[in-house]
Every structure is written in structure tokens, then in C-alpha cells.
Amino acid sequence: MKRKILSICLGLLATVGTNAREVKSFCDGWEFQRGKYPDETILATAKWDGKWQPVSIPHTWNNKDMQSGYDRFYQGEAYYRKQFDCPTELKSKRVFLRFEGVGACAKVYVNKRMLGTHKGAYSAFAIEISEALKYGEVNEIVVLANNEQRPDVIPVNHRLFGVYGGIYRPVQLIVTEKSNITVTDNASPGVYVSQTNVTKKSADISVNVKLDNADLHATSVSLETVIYTQEGKQVAKNVKEINLTPQGSQPFTADFRLKNPHLWQGREDPYLYKVVARLVKDGKTIDEVVQPLGVRHYEMVAGKGFYLNGEKYPMYGVCRHQDYLGLGSALTNKHHDNDLADIMEIGATTVRFAHYQQSDYLYSRCDSLGLVIWAEIPFVNQVTGEEAENAKSQLREMIRQSYNHPSIYVWGLHNEVYSPTPYTAQLTAELHDLAKTEDPYRYTVSVNGYGHVEHSVNLNADIQAMNRYYGWYEGRIKDIDKWVDGLTKNYSDLRLIFSEYGAEANIEHHTEILGESLNAWGNYYPEEYQTKFHEYQWNVIANHPVILASYLWNMFDFCTPMNDRTDIPAQNTKGLITFDRKIKKDSYYWYKANWSKEPTVYLTQRRNTQRERKNTTVTVYSNIGTPKVYLNGKELTGIRQGYTVVHFVFDNVTLADGKNTLKAVAMKNGKEYVDEIEWNYNGERDRSPEHYLNEKEHVGL
């Protein structure tokens, strides 16, 4: 195999003379081969016959095949290898590899020595590789990744979503001095920032730093903990003189009281302080870790709402899966930024990152954008009885790795797991207890798919969330009324969240003929039905304070390998935006008009261009007052308000034969906002589900 000298080594050679921590990208120069190696214990990869494929991290081998169907994607073993020319200067240092995500189980080898393992696709892990390195020589690093479903690692199957295989998140090479701020504490920053007694007048801040000494002797160091404003002004400092022993990592705490703190107030004012933990020896900084501090206080009051720093705060929420069409889960920061831009544009204030721990970069951006977020582990869908230890491990990793993100208000323990109920209920209680031990300052939540508060698996977390799909998987769209009224009457003293609701929408399926329910297991999902669903159900949610927060399912279409319904294989199309992020469906603009402060005027049914009825209905969303609407240049009359103040409807609109132009106009502060679409009417026709499927089969649609 041809020897490769990594560019990262040149960077290290230029910087190893300094004493502070060095963190470098380790994402280039990898090679990949899928399949099971005949003798894993040898790992003499040069002898492994077959062609290795050059890849850059992030990488997944399932970016195409998983999105074609459940029985068509590869789940199993694959190998990544990389050469690392290690400078001799690193011999006096400590060297670590940190993987942010490997799907789903991993083993890491350096020069044929297995140095570490990890179980779980979505949490990070860090491994010290110092002892296995050959300094001044070329080293071979091999990672075995395996995304085969197994009963002891959550998620235990690929049913609700597929676990993409590979090193699909960034890898870092971390170099420190012998004494450092701990790198291998569940791949956490080693720094934990807690806050209590938060008011506009003061806030108590506690910073716990874990230190590690790999020498054979104790060493004298100073631990400086400093808090800076967002503008860079130092507002607090603590210095501890420490005789650091080499026997295990040691925690040290600095306590502060901030006077008149600038509070983190969600989207309105996401103000961030900076906490710096600095390890000093002989007057020189030998290690440093920087973490965010958003000073805030969350409170959920049963039957009333969510409060941020004592003020009631709207929890307009969406759920987000991380994968993209053609890319799978191997995303760059640009993809995360694009998704967050869409979420910010729609006006959401809170996001449920489902159903697993997502990118740390994503959480950091939520800190700075002011989004209030829900982070959760992938304990979903099915119980095997063998997953308890791994569920606890992944929860511990998520909390320690994400502890300092002020945007996170709740830790998710499970989603729709039931039988055997005594086991599941007990495990949920244990996860709750673990979360409270790791982080007593945040809420926990569990999610039930039946919507019954009294279900035996429920009420083992601080918050009970419920998924309910009236008009989709059960009942009719307006059945939500009775359910929410029942919650208000019977459970108003419990913290309740509506964690999922929605309906699928294929942007190629259209009809004006809509009922109150649709066959969720069929093959006909008109976009207009999704729109009707959300128009009504958001109106109900918005008027019932017993629902403390709500999260529509889903912001984006995503891959579901077991789903071969509709014309689109292996996709759940409940998203407000298509899987490729190119088309925003009508429902997206419904929520944007209701949630966002950005002026919005939008005519619905723009893709339903071939109209079925001469006499039809025109709907406009406008959050800047009553719009004027023109059909073929003539202003329409008879406007009525729909379910919310942004919802405007014209009934009994008569189309002309052939082409019809609709134009909606509204004014704000002297500026005109316009939306325009075209429809065609060429005679009455039937676009019922039965007719559509028959037409599709015989005409080749």
C-alpha cells in the first residue's frame, strides 16, 4: 500500500513546541473497504486482497442503498484505514483520537493493537493512543465499523429509521501535555458548567473541571477558571493551586455569583458568556478548554406553559432527523446550518432532535440562535430485554458531552417502547434516576405513542410526552378535540407535551377532494391532505395550555428503510420540506405565517395546477392583515377567516376554462407583499384515491 504523509503532521510539527492543547481534524486520507475481514485479530490490511476506496470523513456506505428499501441496504462490517506519520516530538505528549459518531459499533486499532471499542452510533467516544504509536514512523490506524442491528445496542433495529454505517461524523486528533483537562471522560469537554438561583439580579455559577495526570509523580499546577462576557470582558476568575496526583482523574470546582447577569432569552436574545478552564504550570498554559454559558432558568408549569427566566415562552416546535437524500447521515456543518436556517425561518422556538443524539455543532448553533432544544437517546420502537446497560451508557455519554449547551432543556429517555411493560417501566425509572444524578438541573421526558397518560410505562419521567396522529394512523382529523379536552379535564396537574403529530405528503399527489381521514398504509398521500391536517390541528394545539410544548412530525422528509409506501421508496414524507431540502410544502408556510414575525403572504395548492372542479376554494396565509386576492385580474369577494388570524378563505370561486392566474396582495409599513400562482381548468375530473391509483396503474403515472 502506497505510503501517505498526512498534511496534519506538518501542522503538528509547527505547533508541538507550544504547551497548550492541540486539536486537529483527522478526516482526510482514509481508505475504506466493505466486508468482513477473515481474521480480525491480525488486521494485516496490506494482505487483505481487494481494492480500497479513498474516502474523506464524514462517510457512510449507506448513503444510497439504505434509501432504496429495507431489504436492499448493507448492514454489517466495514473497515477504514489510515496512515499517520507521527512526529518524534509527540513522544513527550499524550495523543488521543476522538470520534464524534461511528455507526453503529466500533473497534479502533493502532498498529494492529485493539485500543478501544464503542457501542452506539450517535454519541462520541475518545481513545488515548499514546502507548501504541511508533514515534518518528508511519503508523496504521484501522477502524472496524458495524451497523448490524443487535439486541443489546439501541436502537435495536432499523425500523423507525436506518442506522447509517460508517465514520459519518468528524474525527479529531488531540494532543496534550502529560497533565490535562480530562479527554476521555465519556468524550466530554471535561468541564461542567452548572447554574442555580438564576434571576435578573444574580446567578450562581459552578464550574467543575476534571484533571488528569499521566506522569508517575505528582505535579504542581494552577487551575484558572474564568468567565468572560460575549464581548470578551472578564467578569469572574478563580485560581486554585493544586498538587495533582497521577492516581485517577480529580474533580475541582470553582463557584461564582454573577451580579445582574445578561440572561439567555431564547430567540429574542441568545446571549452567551464564555467559560475558560486553563491549566497552568510554571507560568505557562499547558491546557485550555472553552465552553459556553447561557445564563437562564427553565420551568414547565402544568396546565399553564413553559417559562424562560420567569417569562412565559411559546414552544412552537418541530422534530428533525439528520439525514439527507443521497448523503445519508454523512453531513457537513453547512448541511446543519441549512436545516437550522429553515427552522429559524419558519419561526420555531424549540426543536426535538429525534430520535438520537445529534451533532455537537448543531447543538452549539442552537445555543447561539436561541432555539430551546430536546436531546434524546435512541431507545425507540422495540424492547429486547438486553439493551438496559447500553441505554444507560448512551444516556450518560449524551449528558456529559452536551451538559454545557444552554439550549438543551430536557433529556429524552425513550420513544414508544412498551412490552414487556414491567421491564420497560423499570428501565425508564432507572434512566430517569441516572439523568438526575448526572444532571439534576434539567427535566427528563419519555414518549408514549398511544396518547394515554395512564399507560403503565408512563409517568416515570419529569414530563410525559405523547405522539398522536388523529386523521392519519387513527380516527379522523377532528378527533384531536376530544383527546385534548380529556387531557385538560383529567390531567391538568401533569406536565404534558404533544411530541408528534402529522401526515404524509407526496408533492406529486394532489386533489381537491379531501375527507377527514386517509389510509396511512396506502399509496396516495396528496399534499393538500397534509395541509388540511395541520391547519386544523395547530388551531387546537394553540388554544389548549395543557399542552406545554408541541412538536410537529417532521421538519424534513427522511429515510425509513421499512417504508415502501407511496411512489417514493424508503421515505417517510411527513416532512414540511422534501428529503433533498428543495421544496417547502404548503404546510411549511402555514406554520411560518402562524409562528414567524417575517411578513408572509402565501397562496396554497400551487402544485395542484390541474384543477378538478370549476367551482373551488382559494386559501391564503397572511400574517400582515387581510389580503386582497385577484383571479384573472378581478378582485375576489366573500373572504372569511379560517382557523387562526393568518388563515383566509374564499369559498365558491369559479374558474375560467383554461389558464387561471391567482394573485394575493397585502401591505405592511407601506410595502406590498405579493404571491402569485397559476391553475388550469379543463373540465371536471375525478382525483379520488381510488381513481388516482387506477389511473397510475393503467396510464403509467
Side-chain angles (χ1 to χ4, degrees), residues 254-270:
D255 294 319
F256 305 91
R257 172 160 289 182
L258 293 183
K259 293 183 179 179
N260 303 313
H262 191 150
L263 299 180
W264 188 91
Q265 193 61 37
R267 289 187 54 149
E268 297 173 17
D269 186 10

Side-chain angles (χ1 to χ4, degrees), residues 136 203 279 385 432 445 602 607 698:
L279 196 60
H432 168 78
V445 61
Y602 184 84
R607 278 168 289 279
H698 292 97

Side-chain angles (χ1 to χ4, degrees), residues 93-112:
K93 310 287 185 177
R94 300 178 69 180
V95 184
F96 304 84
L97 286 178
R98 187 180 190 275
F99 297 84
E100 195 184 335
V102 178
C105 297
K107 294 181 180 179
V108 179
Y109 301 81
V110 177
N111 298 324
K112 303 179 186 178

